[in-house]
Amino acid sequence: MMMETVLSRSLRLVFSGGAAALGLGLLAQPVLAQDAIQRVEITGSAIKRATAETASPVQLISRDELLRSGKATVSEYLQTLTVDGAGSLPTGFGNGFAAGSTAISLRGLGATSTLVLLNGRRMAPFARADDGQKSFTDLSTVPMQIVERIEILKDGASSTYGADAIAGVVNIILRKDFEGLEVRGDTGSSRYSDGKQNKASLTYGRGNLETDKFNWVVNAEYFQSDRLHNSDRKDRAHIGKGDLRPYGYPTNTQFASGQVRGNNDALGSPAGLIRNPTTLDYVPLTSCDGLSRSSQAGVTGCIWHQDQFRDMQPEIEAVNLYTRGTWQVNDSTQVYAELGYSKRNTAFTLVPPSITPVVAFPANAQYPAGLINYGSGSTAILMAANHPQNIYGVPVRVRYAAFDVGPSERQANNRFSRFVIGAKGQAMGWDYDVGYTHSQSKLELNYTNMLNMAVVRAGLSDPTSKYFPYYLGAQAGKNPASLYAAMATIATSDSSTKLDILDFKASRELMPLPGGNLGLAIGAEHRREKLDNPSLSGTIDGSINSSYVAAFGDSKVSAIYAELLAPVLKTVELSGAIRYDKYEKFNSTTPKFGAKWTPLKNFALRGTFSKGFRAPGPAESDPRSQSTGTATTSDPIRCPNNTPAPGGGTSNDCEASVAAVKVGDPNLAPEKSKGYTLGIVWDPIDNLSLSLDAWKIKRTNEINPLPYNEAATLPTAVRNDNNLVVNGVVIPNSGTLLLSKAPYRNSSFTEVKGVDLDIKQRLRLGDWGRATVGLTWSHVSSWLRAESATTQYQYVGTHGNCDTSNCAGTPKNKGTLNGSWDIAAWNLSATVNYRDSMKNIYFQGGPCASRLANGNGAPGDCRIPSFTTLDMSARWKFGNQLTLFASVNNVTDKIAPLDPLTYGGMSYNPMDASGAIGRYFKVGAHYKFF
């Protein structure tokens, strides 16, 4: 009651997502009985205080909000927040580097710049970096049912948490002092009776800290989700379709393959294509009948589309276990321990393999360039002159999608464990907390139906081999099982990350000031992080049809920090903090300052300034680390100024899917940042609160790969030999772009800025109960990246930046409007989620990234429409023990807009997944035994 009294007198409320930040801060510690006013820690500060407000903007998500949302996981909920942006990793991103994981990207600055904590402490990152570069915390390992609240610090943090929290902090706080036994279960299905999900959890706790001097809580959670194929949405307009010809698009879109695109230019076909040695035209071995559902009469080759194989959502089975014990040793000492374990298995289906890939790997004596082009040049796989399907009598090039081998399945099995032991209490006038944390992530990858390229070569090129001849297309039925046993292989990789942390912090009050006592906090930590991410078996030398992706590293960081809170006047509070981090090769000193002024009891001004620092990660700096990613770009050689070049350039070159090799560089310098916020908090009338905060973050010296369009101009770019021919003259090195080198480098800077608006109205309705209405709005006014002093890209309101944002786009506005009504035993709630429209361009001033068959910009006026969904839920309490609940996501069954550029979702933006899946229903029950 005392806490509620203090909070009711609070002058300003920081709220978002329909919940007020009512002061249950990070790592709330036990209060001494002699304290006149209960004091708690607030997100962003290590100093206890009696009110919930700091100079920093904080967003709080309550347990109630999370559970009634109808979302299946913590990450799924967080990715609906307006503060989440490009670079976020949704569950359905199965063709990404970090498939099977999920992550949040505050301010669109990427998961690497977003620090995720569990109970105020770090977790070991996912064992495979996104895009081969970005280390992040996998939110999938967090058990949802035992979350107490989530607090988001939106201005970065440089003292308590770490200077690398450039974009902000997400702190997930689990229940710590629960008593009783509760079970909860729910089940869900889409309106199509598929995509079924089931969840069950049990929470048990016993012991009261005041009377029993101990508390122990344990939670077990099981989650299962069915696989959802893109083909399952074949009747839902464009959703999940690779073939967009019915919507006016050309044949050659990113999810189409098998077609002959021009002289000496063809893609892998399930019918098989061989090249006429005289004309250099590719001709099909047979018709497409029975080989591809996407075949089209009159089109050369055998058109096929990826939606007949790829999954929209993975198959998931997960178990989360968590337990915490707390012992009150005496009035001033408390000992605690936490143990967590997460097991999550995911499986995605992808497309059948091509037998002529371009693969990259670390350079060796045989291949000093570090790549093999199995489709052309001296390393090409050729069909032997005496192969039964070769009609030309000389060795010829071949293109083939191995439908006979079948689609590949990616299985990602992640095991995460975490152990914390610590003590906290009071000594010599200080409140202290000291602890040791060990966490570990183990990732097992299994990729089925990968190709042993030596067997493929022998089966096509070597008449003396026992595998010869390898029949393609319609004649594949002649192949013996022994051939497939040798040729189709399972590629595996076992990766791990380990994180060990020893940390200490203490705080106390010092001399009195006119506005209250001066507060001081000090702290220190030492952490060691190890990453061992070997590449898939067979990729070290290009012997399978996949490029090398690996990262290794071992880093140690020591840090000390101090913080002061100075209520210099009753209406003015100043705060300052400084942190020193010592890395093996770098060190940094990062300050943070804040101020709030309360001229009126219902109005306050606040602002902060902070600096950040991020050392290069192991994937970026270790020379043993290498990755090859793919993105869509316009080839500047074959499609200058978005116009096909004379002599053989086509529209395909304006939307080319390009692979780029990135190798760790030990000479990279650290990233640095400066962050600013300035805002107001105002209660204009009773029960109405609003906050308005302007923010800006500038990240300098940042680590990025060379943009793909710039990498395409380098002499190291690998191209096919179908060079442009102008007036009979062949232009060297102007063939179809296959692969480029995009080395990491320290770019100039990225600067993002915008405004956050939060409004909340509480309504007292008498006999009709009570209600709450809230609006959260984030406006991004600029998202500017400077690659150099002369080259800058403005991404706000566009589909870019595709090489670092997963091609999810950077909308200017995102908003959430929510309402909740409590009456008697009922709670009814509704949430409207809004995402602004985006220009379908890579950057401001650039040409349209996608075009219709008639040449017009697509979609529509070259703009991805906005997307708005409505979610609703209801809860009914039957006595004190039983609660029944139900939810409907995407109540209006809104279809996600057609997005031809994104590669995360097939013809829809992966962040609009609810519009791809369709209306989704859930029902469940919660029972409390005691």
Side-chain angles (χ1 to χ4, degrees):
M1 291 299 296
M2 182 175 293
M3 184 62 181
E4 294 177 359
T5 301
V6 171
L7 292 174
S8 68
R9 295 173 182 170
S10 174
L11 298 181
R12 293 157 305 280
L13 297 174
V14 181
F15 54 86
S16 186
L22 295 179
L24 296 177
L26 292 177
L27 300 174
Q29 299 190 20
V31 181
L32 293 179
Q34 64 266 30
D35 281 357
I37 298 178
Q38 184 173 7
R39 295 178 179 272
V40 295
E41 288 185 22
I42 308 301
T43 304
S45 173
I47 299 175
K48 292 182 178 181
R49 63 186 69 208
T51 60
E53 292 75 25
T54 69
S56 298
V58 179
Q59 179 174 352
L60 183 143
I61 299 149
S62 69
R63 168 181 173 80
D64 188 58
E65 282 180 279
L66 187 64
L67 294 181
R68 74 175 183 231
S69 68
K71 304 302 182 185
T73 61
V74 170
S75 60
E76 188 178 336
Y77 180 88
L78 291 177
Q79 286 167 352
T80 67
L81 301 181
T82 61
V83 73
D84 184 45
S88 186
L89 290 176
T91 301
F93 208 163
N95 60 328
F97 280 86
S101 64
T102 55
I104 184 172
S105 169
L106 297 181
R107 307 301 188 195
L109 286 172
T112 297
S113 291
T114 302
L115 179 58
V116 176
L117 308 174
L118 186 65
N119 291 338
R121 288 185 166 96
R122 294 176 184 245
M123 298 184 285
F126 190 68
R128 205 173 201 226
D130 183 37
D131 286 339
Q133 174 193 10
K134 293 168 280 191
S135 178
F136 66 94
T137 300
D138 179 18
L139 291 169
S140 302
T141 62
V142 178
M144 182 172 176
Q145 304 296 345
I146 200 171
V147 171
E148 180 67 31
R149 65 190 182 277
I150 301 173
E151 295 180 338
I152 301 175
L153 180 68
K154 298 192 287 185
D155 69 339
S158 62
S159 57
T160 308
Y161 311 114
D164 55 340
I166 289 173
V169 179
V170 177
N171 189 21
I172 303 168
I173 299 138
L174 306 184
R175 304 175 78 174
K176 301 176 183 179
D177 55 358
F178 175 76
E179 292 182 76
L181 174 63
E182 295 180 357
V183 294
R184 181 185 176 97
D186 60 64
T187 184
S189 175
S190 78
R191 57 158 290 208
Y192 300 94
S193 299
D194 59 14
K196 292 181 173 61
Q197 294 181 345
N198 299 289
K199 179 179 286 187
S201 69
L202 181 147
T203 306
Y204 171 74
R206 61 173 297 186
N208 183 285
L209 284 175
E210 292 187 4
T211 59
D212 302 320
K213 303 303 181 183
F214 80 94
N215 178 262
W216 174 59
V217 60
V218 61
N219 172 262
E221 179 177 303
Y222 173 79
F223 173 67
Q224 178 271 329
S225 180
D226 286 353
R227 189 190 308 249
L228 191 62
H229 306 288
N230 279 287
S231 58
D232 292 333
R233 292 296 178 267
K234 61 181 179 295
D235 298 323
R236 190 173 173 83
H238 53 269
I239 297 298
K241 290 184 172 60
D243 186 359
L244 295 179
R245 288 173 292 185
Y247 303 92
Y249 288 82
T251 298
N252 300 321
T253 53
Q254 63 170 318
F255 300 118
S257 192
Q259 64 271 39
V260 176
R261 303 188 298 185
N263 180 251
N264 198 25
D265 187 9
L267 300 177
S269 161
L273 296 157
I274 58 175
R275 193 178 71 162
N276 184 319
T278 303
T279 67
L280 304 185
D281 288 327
Y282 280 90
V283 297
L285 293 174
T286 184
S287 70
C288 301
D289 295 343
L291 295 175
S292 172
R293 296 198 303 268
S294 304
S295 61
Q296 179 184 11
V299 177
T300 305
C302 183
I303 307 275
W304 65 280
H305 293 89
Q306 296 184 15
D307 53 350
Q308 48 194 304
F309 301 106
R310 273 182 54 178
D311 289 333
M312 177 180 290
Q313 295 286 323
E315 178 182 351
I316 304 173
E317 186 173 29
V319 174
N320 282 306
L321 303 174
Y322 171 78
T323 185
R324 177 184 170 97
T326 307
W327 297 268
Q328 193 70 42
V329 179
N330 53 47
D331 289 344
S332 60
T333 306
Q334 189 179 99
V335 176
Y336 58 90
E338 297 177 18
L339 182 63
Y341 175 78
S342 171
K343 174 183 176 182
R344 181 179 170 96
N345 297 340
T346 61
F348 296 84
T349 302
L350 293 178
V351 298
S354 165
I355 67 167
T356 52
V358 179
V359 296
F361 47 88
N364 56 40
Q366 184 178 3
Y367 299 104
L371 63 90
I372 300 175
N373 184 353
Y374 284 105
S376 62
S378 60
T379 56
I381 291 178
L382 302 178
M383 180 179 280
N386 61 341
H387 189 287
Q389 291 179 288
N390 187 347
I391 61 176
Y392 295 108
V394 295
V396 294
R397 290 187 187 177
V398 62
R399 297 288 184 265
Y400 183 54
F403 277 35
D404 54 319
V405 173
S408 175
E409 181 171 275
R410 292 186 179 182
Q411 300 171 357
N413 303 325
N414 190 36
R415 308 290 183 269
F416 175 82
S417 58
R418 180 175 180 268
F419 172 71
V420 181
I421 187 169
K424 60 183 178 181
Q426 299 81 33
M428 297 179 289
W430 291 84
D431 292 329
Y432 70 88
D433 190 343
V434 60
Y436 166 73
T437 303
H438 171 78
S439 63
Q440 180 171 305
S441 178
K442 292 185 176 181
L443 178 67
E444 177 186 289
L445 297 178
N446 294 280
Y447 288 16
T448 68
N449 282 349
M450 306 299 286
L451 295 182
N452 182 325
M453 298 308 297
V455 176
V456 176
R457 187 185 296 276
L460 289 172
S461 304
D462 184 4
T464 66
S465 170
K466 63 181 178 179
Y467 302 119
F468 186 86
Y470 170 28
Y471 289 92
L472 307 183
Q475 297 189 46
K478 298 179 180 180
N479 296 319
S482 58
L483 169 66
Y484 293 108
M487 184 172 62
T489 184
I490 298 176
T492 62
S493 172
D494 293 327
S495 303
S496 67
T497 57
K498 295 180 181 179
L499 178 65
D500 291 275
I501 307 173
L502 183 64
D503 66 87
F504 168 81
K505 64 180 177 181
S507 64
R508 67 171 301 162
E509 292 183 343
L510 300 176
M511 62 182 183
L513 296 175
N517 291 332
L518 179 67
L520 169 67
I522 58 173
E525 75 171 38
H526 176 76
R527 66 179 188 268
R528 180 175 183 179
E529 185 173 325
K530 292 184 178 181
L531 169 64
D532 181 24
N533 172 208
S535 188
L536 290 169
S537 54
T539 58
I540 185 66
D541 56 2
S543 61
I544 70 168
N545 60 313
S546 182
S547 291
Y548 182 88
V549 177
F552 305 93
D554 186 347
S555 63
K556 297 177 182 179
V557 185
S558 298
I560 56 174
Y561 62 87
E563 179 184 3
L564 282 174
L565 176 65
V568 293
L569 299 173
K570 290 184 177 180
T571 59
V572 178
E573 180 181 276
L574 303 178
S575 59
I578 191 166
R579 181 183 181 96
Y580 174 78
D581 288 274
K582 178 68 173 69
Y583 295 76
E584 294 181 15
K585 294 175 60 177
F586 310 102
N587 60 74
S588 70
T589 302
T590 48
K592 184 171 185 177
F593 303 100
K596 67 170 184 174
W597 175 43
T598 313
L600 302 172
K601 67 177 183 179
N602 64 342
F603 180 83
L605 293 172
R606 64 183 180 189
T608 62
F609 166 76
S610 61
K611 287 188 175 182
F613 177 95
R614 187 182 76 86
E620 299 162 323
S621 61
D622 195 301
R624 297 172 297 168
S625 301
Q626 178 173 319
S627 65
T628 302
T630 302
T632 303
T633 191
S634 180
D635 184 346
I637 303 298
R638 296 180 64 87
C639 185
N641 301 316
N642 208 47
T643 302
T650 69
S651 60
N652 304 309
D653 301 308
C654 303
E655 301 176 45
S657 181
V658 180
V661 181
K662 297 166 282 189
V663 180
D665 183 355
N667 298 315
L668 290 172
E671 294 181 340
K672 298 181 179 180
S673 70
K674 293 181 180 179
Y676 309 83
T677 66
L678 180 63
I680 64 169
V681 187
W682 185 28
D683 301 345
I685 59 175
D686 288 345
N687 299 315
L688 175 63
S689 305
L690 68 85
S691 66
L692 181 68
D693 293 280
W695 51 269
K696 182 173 81 169
I697 301 173
K698 185 173 184 178
R699 187 172 59 188
T700 58
N701 217 32
E702 65 181 7
I703 301 168
N704 292 310
L706 186 70
Y708 283 31
N709 60 319
E710 295 184 33
T713 64
L714 298 178
T716 53
V718 179
R719 294 178 176 273
N720 214 329
D721 56 7
N722 58 328
N723 292 315
L724 300 173
V725 180
V726 179
N727 297 324
V729 178
V730 176
I731 302 176
N733 200 30
S734 64
T736 303
L737 184 60
L738 300 174
L739 183 143
S740 63
K741 299 291 182 72
Y744 293 119
R745 65 177 185 178
N746 288 109
S747 302
S748 185
F749 67 86
T750 287
E751 182 182 85
V752 295
K753 53 187 177 182
V755 177
D756 291 339
L757 172 66
D758 297 317
I759 303 174
K760 186 169 186 177
Q761 174 71 64
R762 297 172 181 83
L763 302 170
R764 303 181 187 276
L765 305 176
D767 293 340
W768 291 92
R770 63 186 186 275
T772 304
V773 179
L775 171 68
T776 305
W777 195 271
S778 290
H779 171 74
V780 181
S781 59
S782 176
W783 211 106
L784 179 69
R785 169 163 293 167
E787 295 291 346
S788 65
T790 58
T791 303
Q792 296 188 355
Y793 301 100
Q794 174 61 261
Y795 292 110
V796 71
T798 75
H799 211 312
N801 165 359
C802 280
D803 56 342
T804 58
S805 74
N806 304 330
C807 236
T810 309
K812 287 185 178 181
N813 298 288
K814 292 180 70 177
T816 300
L817 175 66
N818 58 74
S820 179
W821 180 27
D822 290 282
I823 179 170
W826 288 89
N827 171 269
L828 304 174
S829 64
T831 301
V832 177
N833 299 296
Y834 171 80
R835 188 262 299 154
D836 203 358
S837 63
M838 299 178 289
K839 296 179 182 178
N840 190 31
I841 55 179
Y842 293 108
F843 48 84
Q844 290 289 358
C848 193
S850 306
R851 295 197 174 274
L852 299 173
N854 62 12
N856 293 338
D861 59 349
C862 195
R863 181 177 293 272
I864 309 296
S866 63
F867 184 57
T868 304
T869 57
L870 169 65
D871 301 334
M872 300 184 70
S873 68
R875 183 178 60 200
W876 178 60
K877 289 187 176 181
F878 185 77
N880 295 323
Q881 293 179 292
L882 177 64
T883 302
L884 303 178
F885 52 88
S887 66
V888 184
N889 282 352
N890 193 2
V891 172
T892 61
D893 201 30
K894 189 76 174 290
I895 297 177
L898 195 159
D899 187 338
L901 181 61
T902 187
Y903 52 85
M906 195 169 292
S907 302
Y908 68 91
N909 195 297
M911 304 312 295
D912 297 343
S914 63
I917 296 170
R919 185 184 298 119
Y920 199 90
F921 304 89
K922 275 190 179 179
V923 295
H926 172 269
Y927 190 84
K928 185 173 183 179
F929 290 90
F930 57 87

